[in-house]
Short mmCIF file of all heavy atoms in Angstrom, two decimals:
data_model
loop_
_atom_site.label_atom_id
_atom_site.label_comp_id
_atom_site.label_asym_id
_atom_site.label_seq_id
_atom_site.Cartn_x
_atom_site.Cartn_y
_atom_site.Cartn_z
N MET U 1 165.70 45.86 244.48
CA MET U 1 164.64 45.60 245.45
C MET U 1 165.06 44.58 246.50
O MET U 1 164.26 44.14 247.31
CB MET U 1 163.39 45.09 244.72
CG MET U 1 162.78 46.08 243.77
SD MET U 1 162.05 47.48 244.64
CE MET U 1 160.66 46.70 245.46
N TYR U 2 166.33 44.17 246.48
CA TYR U 2 166.80 43.14 247.38
C TYR U 2 167.76 43.71 248.42
O TYR U 2 168.76 44.34 248.08
CB TYR U 2 167.51 42.03 246.60
CG TYR U 2 166.57 41.13 245.84
CD1 TYR U 2 166.07 41.52 244.60
CD2 TYR U 2 166.18 39.91 246.36
CE1 TYR U 2 165.20 40.71 243.90
CE2 TYR U 2 165.31 39.08 245.67
CZ TYR U 2 164.82 39.49 244.45
OH TYR U 2 163.96 38.68 243.75
N ALA U 3 167.43 43.43 249.68
CA ALA U 3 168.41 43.66 250.73
C ALA U 3 169.46 42.56 250.62
O ALA U 3 169.15 41.43 250.24
CB ALA U 3 167.75 43.62 252.10
N MET U 4 170.69 42.91 250.93
CA MET U 4 171.80 41.96 250.75
C MET U 4 172.56 41.78 252.05
O MET U 4 172.63 42.70 252.89
CB MET U 4 172.76 42.49 249.69
CG MET U 4 172.13 42.74 248.33
SD MET U 4 171.56 41.25 247.53
CE MET U 4 173.11 40.39 247.26
N GLY U 5 173.13 40.60 252.19
CA GLY U 5 173.92 40.33 253.39
C GLY U 5 175.14 39.49 253.05
O GLY U 5 175.20 38.81 252.02
N TRP U 6 176.12 39.58 253.92
CA TRP U 6 177.31 38.71 253.86
C TRP U 6 177.34 37.88 255.14
O TRP U 6 177.13 38.41 256.25
CB TRP U 6 178.59 39.52 253.76
CG TRP U 6 178.86 40.11 252.42
CD1 TRP U 6 178.60 41.39 252.01
CD2 TRP U 6 179.47 39.45 251.31
NE1 TRP U 6 179.00 41.56 250.71
CE2 TRP U 6 179.54 40.39 250.25
CE3 TRP U 6 179.96 38.16 251.08
CZ2 TRP U 6 180.09 40.08 249.00
CZ3 TRP U 6 180.50 37.86 249.84
CH2 TRP U 6 180.56 38.80 248.82
N PHE U 7 177.60 36.60 254.97
CA PHE U 7 177.76 35.68 256.07
C PHE U 7 179.06 34.92 255.87
O PHE U 7 179.61 34.88 254.77
CB PHE U 7 176.58 34.69 256.12
CG PHE U 7 175.29 35.33 256.52
CD1 PHE U 7 174.56 36.10 255.62
CD2 PHE U 7 174.78 35.19 257.81
CE1 PHE U 7 173.36 36.71 255.98
CE2 PHE U 7 173.59 35.79 258.18
CZ PHE U 7 172.88 36.54 257.27
N ARG U 8 179.55 34.31 256.93
CA ARG U 8 180.75 33.49 256.80
C ARG U 8 180.63 32.25 257.67
O ARG U 8 179.92 32.23 258.66
CB ARG U 8 181.99 34.29 257.19
CG ARG U 8 182.08 34.68 258.66
CD ARG U 8 183.26 35.61 258.88
NE ARG U 8 183.40 35.97 260.29
CZ ARG U 8 184.29 36.85 260.74
NH1 ARG U 8 185.11 37.47 259.90
NH2 ARG U 8 184.35 37.11 262.04
N GLN U 9 181.36 31.23 257.25
CA GLN U 9 181.38 29.98 257.99
C GLN U 9 182.79 29.43 258.01
O GLN U 9 183.36 29.14 256.95
CB GLN U 9 180.42 28.96 257.39
CG GLN U 9 180.27 27.71 258.24
CD GLN U 9 179.09 26.86 257.83
OE1 GLN U 9 178.57 26.97 256.72
NE2 GLN U 9 178.64 26.00 258.74
N ALA U 10 183.33 29.31 259.20
CA ALA U 10 184.66 28.74 259.38
C ALA U 10 184.52 27.25 259.62
O ALA U 10 183.47 26.77 260.05
CB ALA U 10 185.34 29.42 260.56
N PRO U 11 185.58 26.49 259.37
CA PRO U 11 185.52 25.04 259.58
C PRO U 11 185.12 24.70 261.01
O PRO U 11 185.68 25.23 261.96
CB PRO U 11 186.96 24.59 259.27
CG PRO U 11 187.49 25.63 258.36
CD PRO U 11 186.87 26.92 258.80
N GLY U 12 184.14 23.82 261.14
CA GLY U 12 183.71 23.38 262.45
C GLY U 12 182.85 24.36 263.20
O GLY U 12 182.50 24.12 264.36
N LYS U 13 182.50 25.48 262.55
CA LYS U 13 181.69 26.49 263.22
C LYS U 13 180.40 26.72 262.44
O LYS U 13 180.30 26.41 261.26
CB LYS U 13 182.47 27.80 263.36
CG LYS U 13 183.68 27.69 264.27
CD LYS U 13 184.29 29.05 264.49
CE LYS U 13 185.47 28.97 265.46
NZ LYS U 13 186.07 30.31 265.71
N GLU U 14 179.44 27.33 263.12
CA GLU U 14 178.19 27.66 262.46
C GLU U 14 178.36 28.93 261.61
O GLU U 14 179.23 29.76 261.86
CB GLU U 14 177.08 27.87 263.49
CG GLU U 14 176.70 26.60 264.24
CD GLU U 14 175.47 26.78 265.11
OE1 GLU U 14 174.97 27.91 265.22
OE2 GLU U 14 175.02 25.77 265.67
N ARG U 15 177.48 29.05 260.63
CA ARG U 15 177.49 30.24 259.80
C ARG U 15 177.13 31.46 260.66
O ARG U 15 176.24 31.39 261.51
CB ARG U 15 176.49 30.09 258.66
CG ARG U 15 176.42 31.26 257.71
CD ARG U 15 175.68 30.90 256.45
NE ARG U 15 174.38 30.32 256.73
CZ ARG U 15 173.63 29.71 255.81
NH1 ARG U 15 174.08 29.60 254.57
NH2 ARG U 15 172.46 29.22 256.13
N GLU U 16 177.84 32.56 260.42
CA GLU U 16 177.58 33.74 261.22
C GLU U 16 177.40 34.97 260.34
O GLU U 16 177.98 35.07 259.25
CB GLU U 16 178.72 33.99 262.22
CG GLU U 16 180.05 34.31 261.61
CD GLU U 16 181.10 34.72 262.66
OE1 GLU U 16 180.75 34.89 263.83
OE2 GLU U 16 182.27 34.87 262.27
N PHE U 17 176.61 35.88 260.83
CA PHE U 17 176.35 37.14 260.15
C PHE U 17 177.60 38.00 260.14
O PHE U 17 178.33 38.07 261.15
CB PHE U 17 175.21 37.87 260.86
CG PHE U 17 175.04 39.30 260.48
CD1 PHE U 17 174.50 39.64 259.25
CD2 PHE U 17 175.44 40.32 261.33
CE1 PHE U 17 174.34 40.96 258.88
CE2 PHE U 17 175.27 41.65 260.98
CZ PHE U 17 174.72 41.96 259.75
N VAL U 18 177.85 38.67 259.02
CA VAL U 18 178.98 39.58 258.91
C VAL U 18 178.50 41.02 258.69
O VAL U 18 178.86 41.92 259.45
CB VAL U 18 179.91 39.17 257.76
CG1 VAL U 18 181.03 40.19 257.58
CG2 VAL U 18 180.48 37.78 257.99
N ALA U 19 177.68 41.21 257.66
CA ALA U 19 177.24 42.57 257.33
C ALA U 19 175.98 42.51 256.49
O ALA U 19 175.73 41.51 255.82
CB ALA U 19 178.33 43.34 256.59
N ALA U 20 175.20 43.59 256.52
CA ALA U 20 173.97 43.66 255.73
C ALA U 20 173.76 45.08 255.24
O ALA U 20 174.23 46.05 255.86
CB ALA U 20 172.77 43.20 256.56
N ILE U 21 173.04 45.19 254.14
CA ILE U 21 172.75 46.51 253.57
C ILE U 21 171.36 46.50 252.96
O ILE U 21 170.93 45.52 252.36
CB ILE U 21 173.83 46.86 252.51
CG1 ILE U 21 173.68 48.32 252.06
CG2 ILE U 21 173.80 45.90 251.34
CD1 ILE U 21 174.90 48.81 251.27
N SER U 22 170.65 47.60 253.13
CA SER U 22 169.32 47.73 252.54
C SER U 22 169.45 47.94 251.03
O SER U 22 170.55 48.23 250.53
CB SER U 22 168.61 48.93 253.16
OG SER U 22 169.33 50.12 252.88
N TRP U 23 168.34 47.82 250.31
CA TRP U 23 168.49 47.93 248.86
C TRP U 23 168.78 49.35 248.41
O TRP U 23 169.35 49.56 247.34
CB TRP U 23 167.32 47.31 248.11
CG TRP U 23 165.94 47.87 248.21
CD1 TRP U 23 164.88 47.28 248.84
CD2 TRP U 23 165.41 49.06 247.59
NE1 TRP U 23 163.74 48.03 248.68
CE2 TRP U 23 164.03 49.13 247.90
CE3 TRP U 23 165.95 50.07 246.81
CZ2 TRP U 23 163.21 50.16 247.48
CZ3 TRP U 23 165.13 51.10 246.37
CH2 TRP U 23 163.78 51.14 246.72
N SER U 24 168.46 50.32 249.24
CA SER U 24 168.82 51.69 248.90
C SER U 24 170.27 51.99 249.23
O SER U 24 170.82 52.99 248.77
CB SER U 24 167.93 52.66 249.67
OG SER U 24 168.24 52.62 251.06
N GLY U 25 170.87 51.14 250.06
CA GLY U 25 172.21 51.42 250.54
C GLY U 25 172.23 52.37 251.72
O GLY U 25 173.30 52.64 252.27
N GLY U 26 171.05 52.82 252.14
CA GLY U 26 170.99 53.80 253.20
C GLY U 26 171.10 53.24 254.60
O GLY U 26 171.32 54.00 255.55
N SER U 27 170.95 51.94 254.73
CA SER U 27 171.05 51.30 256.04
C SER U 27 172.03 50.15 255.96
O SER U 27 171.97 49.35 255.02
CB SER U 27 169.69 50.76 256.51
OG SER U 27 168.77 51.81 256.68
N THR U 28 172.90 50.07 256.95
CA THR U 28 173.86 48.98 257.02
C THR U 28 173.97 48.50 258.46
O THR U 28 173.63 49.23 259.40
CB THR U 28 175.25 49.40 256.53
OG1 THR U 28 175.74 50.48 257.34
CG2 THR U 28 175.24 49.82 255.07
N ASP U 29 174.49 47.29 258.62
CA ASP U 29 174.73 46.73 259.95
C ASP U 29 175.90 45.78 259.86
O ASP U 29 176.16 45.20 258.79
CB ASP U 29 173.48 46.01 260.46
CG ASP U 29 173.52 45.79 261.96
OD1 ASP U 29 174.39 46.38 262.65
OD2 ASP U 29 172.67 45.02 262.47
N TYR U 30 176.59 45.62 260.98
CA TYR U 30 177.79 44.80 261.02
C TYR U 30 177.82 43.96 262.29
O TYR U 30 177.33 44.40 263.34
CB TYR U 30 179.04 45.67 260.98
CG TYR U 30 179.18 46.49 259.73
CD1 TYR U 30 178.66 47.78 259.65
CD2 TYR U 30 179.84 45.98 258.61
CE1 TYR U 30 178.77 48.54 258.50
CE2 TYR U 30 179.97 46.74 257.46
CZ TYR U 30 179.43 48.01 257.41
OH TYR U 30 179.55 48.76 256.27
N ALA U 31 178.45 42.82 262.19
CA ALA U 31 178.76 42.05 263.38
C ALA U 31 179.80 42.82 264.18
O ALA U 31 180.64 43.52 263.62
CB ALA U 31 179.30 40.68 263.00
N ASP U 32 179.73 42.68 265.50
CA ASP U 32 180.68 43.41 266.34
C ASP U 32 182.13 43.05 266.00
O ASP U 32 183.02 43.89 266.09
CB ASP U 32 180.42 43.08 267.81
CG ASP U 32 179.14 43.74 268.33
OD1 ASP U 32 178.65 44.69 267.69
OD2 ASP U 32 178.64 43.28 269.38
N SER U 33 182.34 41.82 265.60
CA SER U 33 183.71 41.34 265.33
C SER U 33 184.34 42.01 264.12
O SER U 33 185.56 41.94 263.95
CB SER U 33 183.70 39.83 265.14
OG SER U 33 182.86 39.46 264.06
N VAL U 34 183.53 42.64 263.26
CA VAL U 34 184.09 43.25 262.04
C VAL U 34 183.87 44.76 261.98
O VAL U 34 184.37 45.41 261.05
CB VAL U 34 183.51 42.59 260.77
CG1 VAL U 34 183.70 41.09 260.81
CG2 VAL U 34 182.05 42.96 260.55
N LYS U 35 183.16 45.31 262.94
CA LYS U 35 182.91 46.76 262.93
C LYS U 35 184.21 47.53 262.93
O LYS U 35 185.13 47.23 263.67
CB LYS U 35 182.06 47.15 264.15
CG LYS U 35 180.59 46.89 263.97
CD LYS U 35 179.81 47.34 265.20
CE LYS U 35 178.32 47.03 265.03
NZ LYS U 35 177.54 47.37 266.24
N GLY U 36 184.27 48.53 262.08
CA GLY U 36 185.47 49.35 261.97
C GLY U 36 186.51 48.78 261.03
O GLY U 36 187.48 49.47 260.69
N ARG U 37 186.36 47.52 260.62
CA ARG U 37 187.32 46.90 259.70
C ARG U 37 186.69 46.58 258.35
O ARG U 37 187.35 46.66 257.32
CB ARG U 37 187.89 45.62 260.30
CG ARG U 37 188.62 45.82 261.61
CD ARG U 37 189.33 44.53 262.05
NE ARG U 37 188.40 43.44 262.30
CZ ARG U 37 188.46 42.26 261.67
NH1 ARG U 37 189.39 42.03 260.78
NH2 ARG U 37 187.57 41.31 261.97
N PHE U 38 185.42 46.19 258.35
CA PHE U 38 184.73 45.79 257.12
C PHE U 38 183.71 46.85 256.74
O PHE U 38 183.10 47.50 257.59
CB PHE U 38 183.99 44.47 257.32
CG PHE U 38 184.87 43.25 257.47
CD1 PHE U 38 186.24 43.35 257.67
CD2 PHE U 38 184.31 41.98 257.42
CE1 PHE U 38 187.03 42.24 257.81
CE2 PHE U 38 185.09 40.84 257.57
CZ PHE U 38 186.47 40.98 257.77
N THR U 39 183.52 47.00 255.43
CA THR U 39 182.51 47.92 254.92
C THR U 39 181.71 47.25 253.82
O THR U 39 182.30 46.74 252.85
CB THR U 39 183.16 49.20 254.37
OG1 THR U 39 183.94 49.83 255.39
CG2 THR U 39 182.09 50.18 253.89
N ILE U 40 180.40 47.27 253.96
CA ILE U 40 179.53 46.73 252.93
C ILE U 40 179.00 47.88 252.09
O ILE U 40 178.69 48.97 252.62
CB ILE U 40 178.37 45.91 253.54
CG1 ILE U 40 177.58 45.18 252.44
CG2 ILE U 40 177.46 46.77 254.40
CD1 ILE U 40 176.58 44.16 252.98
N SER U 41 178.92 47.66 250.79
CA SER U 41 178.40 48.68 249.89
C SER U 41 177.76 47.99 248.70
O SER U 41 177.91 46.78 248.53
CB SER U 41 179.50 49.64 249.43
OG SER U 41 180.50 48.94 248.71
N ARG U 42 177.05 48.76 247.90
CA ARG U 42 176.42 48.17 246.73
C ARG U 42 176.37 49.18 245.59
O ARG U 42 176.33 50.39 245.81
CB ARG U 42 175.02 47.67 247.05
CG ARG U 42 174.03 48.74 247.43
CD ARG U 42 172.75 48.10 247.97
NE ARG U 42 172.04 47.33 246.93
CZ ARG U 42 171.16 46.36 247.21
NH1 ARG U 42 170.89 46.04 248.47
NH2 ARG U 42 170.56 45.72 246.23
N ASP U 43 176.36 48.64 244.38
CA ASP U 43 176.21 49.45 243.18
C ASP U 43 175.03 48.84 242.42
O ASP U 43 175.18 47.81 241.74
CB ASP U 43 177.49 49.41 242.34
CG ASP U 43 177.42 50.34 241.14
OD1 ASP U 43 176.30 50.67 240.69
OD2 ASP U 43 178.48 50.69 240.63
#
């Protein structure tokens, strides 16, 4: 029942969104900087 997300924070920088997925896994979203390179999934 939980939507999940990944965020990252580099030294000296603010936390930024990386990827998110709905609890069904049917919807995902990515930061432009990682699109095509990162894939979020869930089991």
Side-chain angles (χ1 to χ4, degrees):
M1 296 291 292
Y2 286 81
M4 302 294 295
W6 284 98
F7 290 77
R8 68 187 182 185
Q9 188 166 19
K13 295 187 177 181
E14 293 188 355
R15 181 166 53 192
E16 65 173 352
F17 167 74
V18 176
I21 189 167
S22 62
W23 65 250
S24 69
S27 296
T28 59
D29 197 12
Y30 298 91
D32 287 343
S33 60
V34 306
K35 279 181 181 176
R37 300 188 297 123
F38 290 11
T39 302
I40 188 170
S41 62
R42 65 190 295 158
D43 185 337

